[in-house]
Amino acid sequence: MVHMAELPSSLFAFLLLLVVSLGDASHPRTPSVPPSTEETVETYNSYYNYVDLSGRLQSFAQKHPHIANLSSVGRSVQGRELWVMRITEDPHRDAPGKPKFKYVGNMHGDEAVSRQVLVYLVEYLLTHYGEEPRVTALVDTTDIYIMPSMNPDGFERSVEGDCGGKNGGRNNARDMDLNRSFPDQYDGTSVDAETVPEVTAVIQWIQEKKFVLSGNLHGGTVVASYPFDDSAMHEQQGHYSKAEDDRLFRYLALVYSQNHPGMKTGVPNCADTPDETFNEGIINGAQWYDVPGGMQDYNYLHGNCLEITMELSCCKYPPASELHKEWDLNRESLLAYIEKVHIGVHGYVKNAVDGGALFNVSIVVASIRHNLTTGKYGEYYRLLLPGTYNITAAAPGYTPMTVDSVVVVEGKATELNFTLAPVVNEKATTYAMPSSHGQNLPSSTTMSSDSTQTRVVPETTSSPPLLLPERQPVQPQDFRHHGYSDMELFLRKYSSEFPSIAHLYSIGRSVENRELFVMVISGNPTVHEHGEPEFKYIANMHGNEVVGRELLLNLIEYLCRNYGTDAEVTHLVNNTRIHIMPSMNPDGYEVATEDDVKGYKGRNNSNKVDLNRNFPDQYFTIREPRQPETIAVMNWVKSIPFTLSANLHGGSLVVNYPFDDDKEGLTQYSQSPDDKVFQQVSRAYSQENPLMHNGHPCEDLYPNEYFEDGITNGANWYNVPGGMQDWNYLNTNCFEVTIELGCVKYPLSKDLPKYWEQNRRALLQFIHQVHSGVKGTVSDIGNGKGIPNATISVEDIPHNITTAGTGDYWRLLVPGTYYITAFAHGYFPLRTYASVSKDHVELLDFKLKRDTNGQSPMSPQPTPNPSEKAFHSLIKDLSLGEGLEQLVSSTDTESRLRYRGYKDLSGFVQGLTLNFPKITSLHSLGQSVEFRTIWGLEISNKPVEAEPSEPKIRLVAGIHGNAPVGTELLLEFAALLCINYGKNPAITRLINETRIVIVPSINPDGREQAVEKQCTSLQGSTNTHGKDLDTDFFGNASQRVVEPQPETRAMMDLILGQGFTLSVALDGGSLVATYPYDKPVQSVENEGTMKYLASVYAKNHPTMHLGDTGCSNNGQMGNIPGGVMRAAERQSHMGSMKDFSMDFGHCPEITVYSGCCLFPAVEQLPKLWAENKKALLSMLVEVHKGVRGVVQDKSGKPIVGAIIVLNGGVRVFTGEGGYFHALLAPGNHNIEAVADGYQQQHKEVVVSSDEAASFIVIEFDMDNSILGLPREFVVAGAAASMTALVVTACIIWCVCAAKSNRQKDGFHRLRQHREDYDDEIRLTSMGSKKSLLAHEFQDESESDEDTLYANKI
């Protein structure tokens, strides 16, 4: 056969005109006169050249006009049409309601199987329509486009039987590989319409049609390949380049491969690569080999479309005799793959005003950083795997709309429509289509999985450009100085208008009680997402340096308005969690004055303290008291794993980097270990500022000042002890620089637009710097869990960073090759090298192996049953995000809060047991001096049965009768639990899995004496004997002078006899949570866990975690970091209930002071309840964390009284059934189990802040040694010594007989005074093992002095 490529060009053109009428040159083109109306029956025994293919397709279109339409999307280099067959119901009309699907074949001209297979698919769909239900449904509901040949020129040069592609038909007629010619995400490949018109045509086609799913058919092996096809480093092979929809791509590739009998084996057995295998018949493109400029990546990144590449045969151009077999192998895969265009979510986005369709609206799925946009009818199709998603529709000029908990089911798309309301007076351009041109879209915005209703909006006549036109970002329009109230309204406005990406919060208050607002902007703004770096901007630290304040408000507006439409902004927001604090010193701003060039009015805070001289310093002692603004920022920075930060100032024009001071106090270069990194990020900012990089900032004010490249080392400029940027670097993972934005500190408002213009590019470029260096995850190689607080060390740079809560980390580095080590307590360190490039962050994960250090392995751990898995899932949900907040809102009860006297209180708790007898049990713990009952209410699903495997929490209040708020809070909490049991699933499950003991009033006598609205009065604080009960808990007789009070005795018996896991005591007079000890000790064993438990309560309280006690009514003023402190630092004293619980009850107890006023007015109770409800619920969640398990011997017999030593210090004992449970702070912990007669056992556990305690089983082996010697040796020695022992016994008997009278008299006197030692005898009789715990949490240096520490609040 003569190939068309061999004919003269004039003859070729003549023959082409005989075959097809070209018509108008505009696209799309359709043939007006087919060469034949006869449809030939397919024989599967020959390839179609271009003329044959054209005739065949035209014949199909003529025969099936009701479902087929043939058109051309463009021409090849040699003028051949790029035919596309559209197959759908009513194919001549463009209407919404059906997702668009495409297959492209023969992209490489010599890979010919795909060309033929797609022709067969066209015929199969057309001829089986109306006969086969599956095909009929597919055609009726899908807009299918099939391009059999993207490279017809290359095919004409190829030769049948050429399996290796040696005849040069792979590329187009200008020798260009079409699958290396698309724009690339890393290299920015340009498209030349002259050399690759085929690519140009396909790009336009992709942009115009907004396909949903696609397949690109090739040949040369048998596998399905999925994005990404290349990586930034362009490693030849082996680099897995993961797309955001990686799980979905794998699923789609498996759909094709698992329906292909040969592909699914993963063993192609190709002659040229006999050893090549593919797991399950699929592979990530870049992992196979690097393909820059590939079509499938372009579809995903620029076309709304998910595409994979299918390699169909080992031989690229096999003999025609193989074609029938290839069709049989691929037919089911081709059909099954098309069907997947109907999974996920689909719907319309319309204008709330007139119902018109909104074009180019971004559809954002939380946690998947890949958005798509709506088509011209407002329609969208978002493929998703089954699951629950939060989905947002966002467009400039409209208020975003988010629908939470959208359920996607298997096999069928969920319908989800959006209605967006325009922003009033919005100047930004929108893409709303005028509804007057057609009918409105459906008005429903509810989800439906079976809706088929569609409405038609006439298509526009204009043809889209090759690529969507670049949209200019929306710039801020309103430039003015914002006072505090104005700024607050601005922030609230943008947080409200853009809730899917913007979240406003406060980190504390200023001296004058102004909020320190922070706006966080991110794709999922309320939570830290694993792998996403945290970035911050802080401004207005000096109140009269205002440019930064206004620039950050401009930046907030810019990011919000351009999200979803500007590629750079969308990328930054989707991949970075950006925290913006416009004003750290709002008090100073309020007194500063406009047009202040170089003054000081308003520079400091209201206490006249320079906040940038108030942070702890590495060289000098900062003597000014730490200010509330400083403390708030310190707590904030330590609570979030920030990577990079900038502190915006004014008065010069330069970027200033650490260190800010020198140990000698001299003006000289003070180099940090990361000096090169700081220079790099500083230049990133200065180079984007058209004035700053010149280095001559303020020639009129400071003519001699010069900064090379617009940057300077801080101390080399002038010394700043106590600066914020140095503190960030030395105490956290965060690299911070200080940016001076202009020579005038407080410029006129008319000058603000020029500051935005000078700095807007620099502000964005600096955020980009957070994505440099290396990042990754440190995880346990055994269970795959991330390791928090692991250390990342870079060789030759003496500055380490640590991993965040889920094991992720970010380490800024300049380009180069580094040796990097990850190590964590209890693991072997791992060292590797990384090559860091300039333009992207290097991914470097570490999988650490545990260091067992010769420890005996534990027995196999039980597999959690489905019920336990569900409970673990509940604990995780309640620990993350808004889970606990949602529980609070779902358990609202009609509260009738009031103060209850003893009689009313007794009736209330008795009423709970009468109304909820199945889950409550009421006990009398004892009586007060005046014979009032001290009630203990137990809430559990089996309150009268022992359940030793469940954790037990104790909630107590009223130890001081003049602070009754805690009593009322616990009564209301008990009512909430009982009322919601059986109604609220989370509350029901928590009660089923927990034993809750509530003691609402320890001191009922004192409560009867207290007086309402007395905030500082001590009346009623003691019991009737005038004893402060919180100084009466002594475990040792040597420490007790008199008998314990009856109230104390009742609580001591409860603490000692119940085996509690956690205790929370409520008190009043402050706003703080304290942890042990109350007594003066030098250090607290396991202090990290104690402090962590207190912080859990504080952080779930709306104001406590801010640390501002604000108790001016009783003189208790101050700022407590995180709202948490050691109890002795508040008011040191001996004999506290908290200390007794720790030392003798072996149970950690925190004390929560719920408010400044001891006995506030009854009207305050609802507010106090609302503040503490979430925190109390958090304690029910927290008691299920830490580590729990059972100790048993090899036969499975439980061992009671075994000692569990935590981290070499803290001890707990196993109780009934051998069970134990200990709360621990998140991190890695060592467990040592000891029991008499058994070999010591060791184990390491990882505790997570959001995971329920895993159940572990510790099995003991018998210890066959005695005193470290073999048992047989000791027995023999004992026998040899028996005679001597008998003689010794006789001597002892004689001596005892001689002294019997004196001994009897001594025992008589001891019995007379038995009462004085009752507590000591009882405690010591509990067994020698428990006596080991007498000083479990005590420091050895502790004395019995009753030393009182000064009140520090």
Side-chain angles (χ1 to χ4, degrees), residues 1082-1280:
Q1082 295 299 314
S1083 62
V1084 177
E1085 201 169 57
N1086 206 28
E1087 182 171 13
T1089 294
M1090 301 300 107
K1091 188 174 183 179
Y1092 169 74
L1093 293 172
S1095 71
V1096 171
Y1097 194 102
K1099 77 177 183 180
N1100 284 293
H1101 187 287
T1103 55
M1104 187 180 294
H1105 73 280
L1106 302 176
D1108 186 359
T1109 60
C1111 297
S1112 56
N1113 61 324
N1114 57 16
Q1116 294 185 345
M1117 293 289 290
N1119 197 298
I1120 307 302
V1124 172
M1125 66 189 307
R1126 195 197 301 185
E1129 294 177 354
R1130 179 182 179 274
Q1131 188 173 16
S1132 175
H1133 62 280
M1134 304 292 289
S1136 75
M1137 181 171 64
K1138 181 192 297 98
D1139 293 0
F1140 183 86
S1141 179
M1142 288 285 289
D1143 289 343
F1144 298 99
H1146 323 308
C1147 169
E1149 179 172 291
I1150 64 170
T1151 301
V1152 176
Y1153 296 85
S1154 60
C1156 298
C1157 185
L1158 289 167
F1159 201 153
V1162 68
E1163 293 80 12
Q1164 294 295 313
L1165 286 178
K1167 175 177 179 290
L1168 290 165
W1169 167 240
E1171 290 176 343
N1172 287 276
K1173 179 180 176 183
K1174 179 181 177 183
L1176 287 168
L1177 286 169
S1178 74
M1179 293 293 97
L1180 292 191
V1181 175
E1182 201 61 35
V1183 77
H1184 287 279
K1185 299 177 185 177
V1187 58
R1188 70 186 184 101
V1190 65
V1191 178
Q1192 60 190 32
D1193 62 17
K1194 285 290 186 181
S1195 68
K1197 178 183 178 182
I1199 300 175
V1200 179
I1203 305 173
I1204 306 298
V1205 184
L1206 308 173
N1207 298 318
V1210 178
R1211 296 172 174 83
V1212 296
F1213 288 93
T1214 58
E1216 182 183 350
Y1219 292 105
F1220 69 93
H1221 191 148
L1223 299 180
L1224 292 165
N1228 299 288
H1229 300 275
N1230 291 310
I1231 293 179
E1232 183 178 349
V1234 182
D1236 288 344
Y1238 295 95
Q1239 293 181 357
Q1240 188 170 308
Q1241 298 290 317
H1242 300 265
K1243 187 171 181 62
E1244 282 208 3
V1245 295
V1246 179
V1247 175
S1248 170
S1249 63
D1250 56 18
E1251 298 279 355
S1254 297
F1255 191 86
I1256 63 173
V1257 178
I1258 300 176
E1259 279 190 357
F1260 275 118
D1261 283 328
M1262 292 296 296
D1263 189 350
N1264 289 318
S1265 65
I1266 300 177
L1267 299 177
L1269 299 173
R1271 181 179 296 272
E1272 296 80 1
F1273 179 84
V1274 175
V1275 171

Side-chain angles (χ1 to χ4, degrees), residues 350-370:
K350 67 176 183 177
N351 189 333
V353 176
D354 59 9
L358 290 179
F359 166 66
N360 213 32
V361 177
S362 292
I363 304 299
V364 183
V365 180
S367 79
I368 301 179
R369 293 191 291 269
H370 179 77

Side-chain angles (χ1 to χ4, degrees), residues 609-621:
V609 174
D610 186 332
L611 298 180
N612 207 32
R613 309 294 190 280
N614 193 236
F615 285 78
D617 189 81
Q618 62 177 322
Y619 300 126
F620 301 98
T621 300

